[in-house]
Amino acid sequence: MKDKQKRKKERTWAEAARMVLENFSDAPMTPKQILHVIQTKGLKEMRSGTAPLACLVTMLHSQVRGDRVKNSIFFKLPGRMSLFTLKVIKHNPLHSTLNLPLDCDFILLSRVISYYTSAVS
């Protein structure tokens, strides 16, 4: 009985990755970097016999592809092998200028812009 109750309280990979990207990084991170923070901060319980990196990578890639993209909180940087950040959705004043519907998704990624700007410098 205690095993079932304990399992319900464990964090998912998505919750742990979100916590890392929100609280421990100002730049996009690779799955290895995310996993390192998860392990050092103890954000997710690791079971023996599992492959934590494989689980994390699978979750991240499944969140940024297919039907889940619209509702996902994760964003994979285009043109990069595996750099992830959180989506930051902000109101864009161009909506009214361009006569776009208000529910049109504009994703302004300040982390991505700062990452690419620092990489060019």
Side-chain angles (χ1 to χ4, degrees), residues 44-58:
K44 172 136 179 65
E45 185 177 315
M46 307 288 170
R47 292 195 185 108
S48 62
T50 63
L53 185 59
C55 294
L56 179 62
V57 168
T58 301

Side-chain angles (χ1 to χ4, degrees), residues 88-99:
V88 180
I89 301 172
K90 297 181 179 179
H91 174 70
N92 190 332
L94 291 176
H95 277 226
S96 56
T97 309
L98 299 174
N99 294 322

Side-chain angles (χ1 to χ4, degrees), residues 3-119:
D3 279 345
K4 289 182 182 180
Q5 290 175 348
K6 190 175 182 180
R7 286 183 190 162
K8 289 180 184 179
K9 293 180 182 179
E10 288 180 12
R11 281 191 188 101
T12 64
W13 283 108
E15 292 168 341
R18 178 189 50 79
M19 289 177 70
V20 169
L21 292 169
E22 277 181 347
N23 302 318
F24 299 102
S25 176
D26 291 333
M29 298 176 77
T30 65
K32 280 186 181 180
Q33 292 169 326
I34 295 170
L35 180 63
H36 178 74
V37 175
I38 289 172
Q39 289 175 326
T40 56
K41 299 293 181 182
L43 299 177
K44 172 136 179 65
E45 185 177 315
M46 307 288 170
R47 292 195 185 108
S48 62
T50 63
L53 185 59
C55 294
L56 179 62
V57 168
T58 301
M59 182 279 301
L60 287 169
H61 282 286
S62 71
Q63 290 288 317
V64 297
R65 293 188 176 165
D67 297 337
R68 294 185 177 183
V69 172
K70 190 171 185 174
N71 296 326
S72 177
I73 61 169
F74 301 104
F75 180 79
K76 182 182 174 295
L77 273 66
R80 305 296 295 190
M81 285 300 287
S82 285
L83 275 178
F84 294 89
T85 189
L86 294 176
K87 284 184 183 179
V88 180
I89 301 172
K90 297 181 179 179
H91 174 70
N92 190 332
L94 291 176
H95 277 226
S96 56
T97 309
L98 299 174
N99 294 322
L100 295 172
L102 291 176
D103 63 346
C104 184
D105 286 341
F106 275 92
I107 302 170
L108 304 176
L109 299 160
S110 58
R111 292 178 180 183
V112 175
I113 293 167
S114 66
Y115 173 79
Y116 279 119
T117 315
S118 66

